[in-house]
């Protein structure tokens, strides 16, 4: 994995524009799933089953 989001998941206007765009592009597949919506975790297959249709956007999930 390319590393952490370095705080770019917390605010839409975080950091310099170019860095923000690059970090978001690298993590475009990332999302937020509330723990209550997790049904099962399969560590061998590296899968998480949820009762959601799609994860929430990280920035919107942070409420900012």
């Amino acid at each position: 994995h390319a590393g952490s989001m370095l705080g770019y998941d917390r605010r839409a206007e975080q950091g310099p524009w170019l860095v923000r765009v690059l970090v978001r592009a690298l993590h475009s597949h990332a999302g937020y799933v509330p723990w209550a919506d997790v049904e099962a975790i399969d560590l061998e297959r590296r899968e998480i089953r949820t009762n959601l249709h799609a994860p929430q956007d990280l920035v919107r999930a942070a409420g900012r």
Side-chain angles (χ1 to χ4, degrees), residues 33-51:
V33 175
W35 186 249
D37 293 324
V38 174
E39 292 180 347
I41 299 173
D42 187 334
L43 296 177
E44 249 180 63
R45 296 177 65 179
R46 300 178 80 183
E47 292 181 352
I48 298 173
R49 189 173 59 233
T50 72
N51 58 12

Side-chain angles (χ1 to χ4, degrees), residues 1-6 21-31 58:
H1 206 276
S4 73
M5 297 266 309
L6 304 172
V21 170
L22 291 173
V23 169
R24 294 231 173 118
L26 284 172
H27 296 279
S28 61
H29 63 282
L58 289 175

